[in-house]
Every structure is written in structure tokens, then in C-alpha cells.
Amino acid sequence: RMKQAEHPPATAGAGIAAEYSLALIDQLARIDRTCSKEEMDELVYRLLSLIGEAMQSDRVFLFERLEGTAEAYCNTFEWCANGVAPQIGNLTEIVPADMPYWLEVFGRGETIVIPNIEGVKTQMPSEYEILKAQSIRSEIAVPVFYRGNLSGFFGLDNPQRAMTAGQLRLLAFVGGHLGSARENLRMLTLLEEKQKSLEQNLQAVTQACFSITKFDKIPLFHNIISAFFRADCLHKNSSVCTIMLYQPPYRVTYAKLG
């Protein structure tokens, strides 16, 4: 997905810098509070647009580890200024061989600042070719970490406004915070999906509990119960069977058949 916005007037000062910093922190706080993937996506776009507009960049992007791979990265978000061609569709799988120098720098937790890509042609030839193909003249790229591991990176194409050391540190802070928030939401979503699946299984078995009442079906029912969760069965070969069920919200129910 891609959003466009016009560059703001080229006015700078301490007041604007402070306002920019507060806006970023406020956006990170909003990202922290959300439990919705859709809302998270919108907030990330807004975060990228804030950075792009403040730094008068052509494009701001976020790469995240490609799901199902150990080392590849995919461009998952981007914001583009008016008139700038989106690149997200061309960057769906970036492997270590495409950016060996960047990954080495990111691994040390450092930010990449390239005032002019022609000056790094021999230092990082693979990265140079990728940047050149996108008509990038200057670049800033920041690692994104989760629990000490590199989970992605984000950056700015052709920023027109020079960044101070403090602003670069703020970007590094944004990268660390964004990585944690994104991964936490992903884990929360997985847990909710697993809980929903468990509840559906328990509901199906509970319904079976009250539909099987005949003596000759008790051993069969015991096997069904055991396939899903713990069950304590007494006298499985008799006409009396006590089954302990775990039902949401995880209370214990005893069903006596006989």
C-alpha cells in the first residue's frame, strides 16, 4: 500500500523539530495501544508519512522479515511524496546477497547514512545497484530489532532536509519500538487464533458428550475425548462413565453417563 502527500514548506527551527519529535512519540504511543491489525497498518502508514513530510523525503519505507524465511526481507509499507513512483511492488524479496554491507552494519545496531550513493559504489556494490535502479540519490536506513534480533529495517529515500545526530537517534528509537510493537501484535493475533480453535474443538466434543449415552458407545466416547484433551474416565467398560471436561472460560465440568 502507498500514500502520497505534498512536501510541507521548507521552514525549520527548534519549534518545528520539537513538534516533529512529539508527533513521532505520540504516534508510537498509539501503535502501542492498538490491538487491531487494521488499525496498526494505518498507524504505521501515518508514522512513515510524518517522517517523510518532516524530512522532505521522496519515499519512506519499512522492510520486515519475509514470513516463512530465515533471512529474506519484504517491503511491507511505504509512503511516497506526490509525483514519486512507488517501489513496494518491486521489493518483495530481498535476500542477504542483495545487501551484505547493510546487514553487517545493521547487525551492529548502526544506522546507514549515504549523502550521495555515487560515493559508496565500490564500498557496497550490491546495495548501490538496488538504489540506483530506484533513482535514489541519497539514503538513510535504520535497523528494526525485536528482542535483540534484526527483524527488519526502515528508511528514507532522498531526504532534502539534513538530519541532526539527535534526529538520527530518534529514528533508531522508532525502529526498536516499531519492531517490538509489530511482533507483539503478531503474537497476540496467533494466541487469539489458537484460543478460538481450542474453543471450537471443545464445543464440538461437549456436544458429543450429551449425544452419546448408550452403554455400548462409552468406550468410543472415551477415545473421542482423549483425542482432544485430558479426560478422567471411570469404569470404561461399565454403564457408568464420569468425564472431566475443560470448557471456556476454563472451568471444569463433570458429565456422568449411565
Side-chain angles (χ1 to χ4, degrees):
R1 295 177 61 182
M2 178 271 296
K3 290 188 176 181
Q4 293 188 334
E6 296 181 354
H7 289 312
T11 58
I16 292 179
E19 184 178 346
Y20 163 68
S21 298
L22 289 174
L24 288 186
I25 293 172
D26 177 68
Q27 197 66 14
L28 288 176
R30 292 172 183 268
I31 288 174
D32 267 350
R33 291 194 298 267
T34 185
C35 294
S36 161
K37 182 183 181 302
E38 292 73 20
E39 185 181 12
M40 168 73 81
D41 288 351
E42 290 299 322
L43 292 171
V44 171
Y45 285 124
R46 178 56 184 155
L47 179 69
L48 299 186
S49 72
L50 284 172
I51 296 171
E53 290 169 357
M55 295 298 109
Q56 298 182 355
S57 301
D58 284 353
R59 178 174 171 268
V60 184
F61 57 82
L62 172 64
F63 279 77
E64 296 176 290
R65 193 177 296 278
L66 189 61
E67 193 167 349
T69 70
E71 298 179 313
Y73 296 88
C74 176
N75 189 177
T76 51
F77 295 86
E78 76 173 0
W79 168 90
C80 294
N82 282 345
V84 175
Q87 298 294 326
I88 192 169
N90 304 324
L91 302 167
T92 56
E93 186 173 1
I94 302 297
V95 298
D98 296 325
M99 51 176 187
Y101 185 88
W102 280 28
L103 288 179
E104 181 182 345
V105 174
F106 290 156
R108 299 194 298 265
E110 298 175 3
T111 296
I112 291 172
V113 180
I114 306 175
N116 186 334
I117 68 165
E118 298 302 326
V120 300
K121 186 175 182 179
T122 57
Q123 184 181 24
M124 49 183 87
S126 298
E127 291 88 344
Y128 171 84
E129 293 298 330
I130 294 176
L131 297 176
K132 188 73 172 179
Q134 300 175 65
S135 301
I136 295 173
R137 302 177 301 279
S138 59
E139 182 75 16
I140 295 174
V142 182
V144 173
F145 286 94
Y146 177 69
R147 292 186 176 178
N149 297 313
L150 184 67
S151 61
F153 56 96
F154 78 99
L156 299 77
D157 296 343
N158 305 325
Q160 297 181 33
R161 181 170 291 163
M163 277 197 176
T164 66
Q167 288 171 329
L168 288 174
R169 286 194 298 270
L170 179 59
L171 284 184
F173 171 77
V174 169
H177 208 85
L178 186 58
S180 296
R182 294 279 296 166
E183 188 63 21
N184 288 340
L185 179 61
R186 189 183 75 83
M187 294 300 295
L188 178 62
T189 302
L190 286 176
L191 287 173
E192 289 175 345
E193 290 174 353
K194 286 183 181 296
Q195 180 176 345
K196 183 178 180 180
S197 176
L198 176 62
E199 290 176 353
Q200 290 173 343
N201 288 339
L202 290 176
Q203 183 178 8
V205 175
T206 302
Q207 291 173 349
C209 172
F210 296 101
S211 64
I212 303 176
T213 58
K214 292 184 178 180
F215 162 74
D216 59 349
K217 297 284 184 71
I218 288 176
L220 172 62
F221 181 60
H222 172 257
N223 293 336
I224 295 174
I225 290 291
S226 299
F228 285 98
F229 48 79
R230 286 179 53 200
D232 294 332
C233 292
L234 304 177
H235 310 295
K236 288 180 288 185
N237 295 321
S238 70
S239 61
V240 178
C241 182
T242 302
I243 300 165
M244 184 168 61
L245 306 178
Y246 292 87
Q247 295 179 306
Y250 309 110
R251 63 180 181 270
V252 179
T253 301
Y254 290 89
K256 185 175 182 180
L257 306 180

